[in-house]
């Protein structure tokens, strides 16, 4: 899956909300020799395009729902391959990452890609799903002995819940216990810096490099100078 034609069929399957076709392409991509990340990138671009069209009123919610289902069917088909590829070079990294989409937000696709890539890179993942309460994130991190809390937000209206987790950690005197990473479509590096997050990355591959850097011990969670990794 590298020729423009093949990418075009993936594009079309997601735009049409054709779950079956998207899953079939996903299975093909999973069997192919090359790394599936290129196809994941294409699929991610297409679903964002769908979101833009929804934003401008060119598409309606049912169409966005169908496109999202097709994207998820594609991702379900390639997830095992992504894991297998990364596991080749991954050693167990002895760090746990609690990850979830913040309160009020049910977008899971990007968070799942980040969780899959981190898991495949040797990190132990505690995935709290979507609409995750701030206290749930902290309690899960405490209970599991995690070093990282990853917060995904896809809506401007849910981004404040990323800040709320950080503020709560401060209030509880637990800011030094966990690195807080933020990301998701509308979450900029500047916003991450403003809310005193420890880390920001624009995509899943960069998120893995970000966690690797923070896990290397170059800084501590209470040092809130933002560490970031740009995409490639
Ligand atoms: C798919 C989608 C849906 C699907 C979600 C399905 C699912 N299970 O996720 C459905 C159809 C259900 C949906 C529902 C809604 N949606 Co919606 N949706 C989208 C869409 C089109 C794509 C999101 C996506 O999956 N992107 C692809 C992934 C791969 O990218 P990503 O999430 O950004 O993740 C990458 C990076 O950001 C990063 N990353 C992500 N998380 C993290 C975390 C960390 C720690 C790090 C380091 C990195 C990182 O790595 C990821 C992988 O590379 C966006 C459009 C857009 N431009 O984002 C709208 C969009 C986010 N949705 C929007 C809206 C309004 C809604 C609804 C309110 C619609 C409605 N009227 O009901 C509801 C939300 C209900 C709720 N309470 O949450 C708006 C939000 C506007 C705003 N206020 O900001 C958008 C922007 C569309 C638009 N242009 O208007 N949506």
């Amino acid at each position: 899956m590298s020729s423009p034609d093949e990418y075009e069929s993936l594009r079309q399957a997601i735009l049409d909300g054709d779950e079956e076709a998207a899953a079939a392409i996903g299975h093909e991509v999973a069997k192919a020799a090359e790394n599936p990340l290129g196809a994941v990138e294409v699929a991610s671009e297409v679903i964002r395009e769908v979101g833009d069209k929804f934003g401008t009123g060119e598409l309606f919610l049912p169409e966005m729902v169908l496109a999202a289902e097709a994207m998820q069917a594609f991702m379900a088909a390639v997830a095992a391959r992504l894991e297998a590829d990364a596991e080749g070079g991954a050693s167990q990294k002895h760090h746990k990452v609690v990850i979830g989409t913040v309160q009020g937000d049910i977008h899971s696709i990007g968070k799942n890609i980040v969780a899959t890539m981190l898991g495949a890179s040797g990190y132990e993942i505690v995935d709290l799903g979507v609409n995750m309460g701030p206290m749930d994130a902290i309690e899960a991190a405490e209970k599991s002995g995690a070093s990282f809390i990853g917060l995904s937000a896809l809506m401007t209206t849910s981004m404040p819940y990323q800040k709320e987790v950080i503020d709560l950690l401060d209030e509880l005197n637990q800011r030094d216990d966990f690195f807080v990473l933020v990301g998701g479509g509308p979450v900029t590096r500047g916003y991450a810096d403003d809310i005193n997050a420890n880390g920001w990355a624009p995509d899943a591959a960069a998120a893995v490099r970000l966690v690797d850097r923070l896990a290397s011990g170059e800084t501590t969670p209470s040092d809130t100078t933002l560490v970031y990794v740009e995409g490639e």
Side-chain angles (χ1 to χ4, degrees), residues 25 160 191:
I25 295 167
Y191 179 76

Side-chain angles (χ1 to χ4, degrees), residues 44 47-48 51 54-55 61 64-65 68 72 104-110 113-114 150-152 154-156 181-185 201-204 207:
S44 301
I47 194 76
R48 289 193 191 108
F54 170 75
L61 189 56
M64 185 161 80
V65 170
Q72 282 172 294
D105 195 330
I106 60 155
H107 295 88
S108 61
I109 295 172
I113 298 177
V114 173
L151 305 169
S152 184
L154 261 293
M155 300 192 297
T156 47
L181 319 173
V182 296
D203 59 45

Side-chain angles (χ1 to χ4, degrees), residues 88-125:
S91 52
Q92 213 45 50
K93 290 186 173 143
H94 307 293
H95 280 285
K96 286 188 188 149
V97 181
V98 165
I99 192 163
T101 302
V102 295
Q103 189 164 319
D105 195 330
I106 60 155
H107 295 88
S108 61
I109 295 172
K111 181 267 297 170
N112 289 346
I113 298 177
V114 173
T116 301
M117 294 291 290
L118 285 173
S121 306
Y123 294 100
E124 205 176 309
I125 304 299

